[in-house]
Amino acid sequence: MPAHLISRRPSPTTASFTVSNASRHTSTPAKLFFYLQFLVRGIIFAGVLSFHAARFRHVFFSQDSLVPWSTVWSSPLGIFVCRVADTSNFAVAAVASALVLYGVLLKGYTEESLLVIRGLGIQTSTSSPSYLFKAATRFIPTTEIQDIVIHEAFKGFEVRFYLAVVVVGEPEVVVVFPKLLPNRAKLEEVWRGSRHCLYDSKP
């Protein structure tokens, strides 16, 4: 999905630019698909946990627990889960569960942002592909920012533009939005907005 840019200016000295290839969910079918996707993910996640809970039910779940586990495992669904857990190969089930959980926890989109604060600096952020990990961020103080520029480079057989921060004392520039690489028009909007926020004191 093509990346879209969201620009925010919460104050005259702060600007935020976010590029994302996630669906915007503007239409009703898109919203329904989004919620259905999360529902399916939740059911699969709960199913995997229930499978392993049933496999080790005699070890970790005692009769003194607040949850009536004996009632849970004796229900039709509990009996089915216990039968599948007891007859499955543990090594195969463990590998399959890890792969399923990894797929369930994948975001399926990338989100990158640039936060500009006059007098302090800028912070770049790239989201993690999984819900398990935090976004990768870096803060560059204003005193270390030499310039913010738009460069061009070859990616495969095409020319791509990218926004870069020239940092004092570093041999390489810091690329903003390195994974999504939005088009030149979006980069120019971010470039103008970030330089205005950093250097222009006029309203």
Side-chain angles (χ1 to χ4, degrees):
M1 188 173 186
H4 54 271
L5 173 65
I6 302 175
S7 302
R8 298 185 180 92
R9 197 72 186 264
S11 71
T13 59
T14 305
S16 172
F17 307 95
T18 302
V19 178
S20 174
N21 59 1
S23 175
R24 291 183 145 184
H25 316 299
T26 54
S27 63
T28 302
K31 292 179 180 179
L32 292 176
F33 179 76
F34 174 76
Y35 292 123
L36 179 62
Q37 185 183 35
F38 262 84
L39 178 61
V40 172
R41 286 176 182 241
I43 293 174
I44 294 175
F45 186 82
V48 173
L49 294 184
S50 300
F51 171 84
H52 288 282
R55 187 165 189 101
F56 298 100
R57 63 189 182 279
H58 301 298
V59 179
F60 298 104
F61 304 109
S62 63
Q63 298 297 328
D64 300 330
S65 175
L66 296 176
V67 180
W69 291 110
S70 57
T71 305
V72 173
W73 303 129
S74 60
S75 65
L77 181 59
I79 293 174
F80 172 76
V81 174
C82 291
R83 185 184 301 115
V84 173
D86 294 338
T87 56
S88 62
N89 182 279
F90 176 74
V92 175
V95 173
S97 298
L99 293 175
V100 170
L101 290 179
Y102 176 77
V104 167
L105 295 174
L106 281 179
K107 291 182 178 179
Y109 66 90
T110 301
E111 188 172 276
E112 298 180 300
S113 63
L114 174 67
L115 176 64
V116 184
I117 305 176
R118 184 185 303 164
L120 290 179
I122 63 175
Q123 177 176 286
T124 62
S125 176
T126 301
S127 65
S128 167
S130 172
Y131 290 104
L132 292 176
F133 305 102
K134 294 182 179 180
T137 61
R138 179 180 177 180
F139 180 78
I140 306 174
T142 304
T143 54
E144 297 181 10
I145 300 175
Q146 184 174 338
D147 203 355
I148 302 176
V149 295
I150 296 178
H151 279 308
E152 60 180 14
F154 286 99
K155 185 179 181 181
F157 294 99
E158 62 178 343
V159 177
R160 298 297 298 269
F161 293 90
Y162 64 93
L163 185 69
V165 181
V166 182
V167 182
V168 176
E170 293 192 10
E172 297 183 356
V173 298
V174 176
V175 179
V176 184
F177 316 131
K179 291 188 176 181
L180 294 177
L181 295 176
N183 59 40
R184 182 174 177 175
K186 293 183 175 67
L187 292 180
E188 289 180 351
E189 180 181 343
V190 176
W191 177 77
R192 286 191 297 266
S194 58
R195 289 184 63 87
H196 174 78
C197 185
L198 278 177
Y199 306 121
D200 193 355
S201 59
K202 297 179 181 179

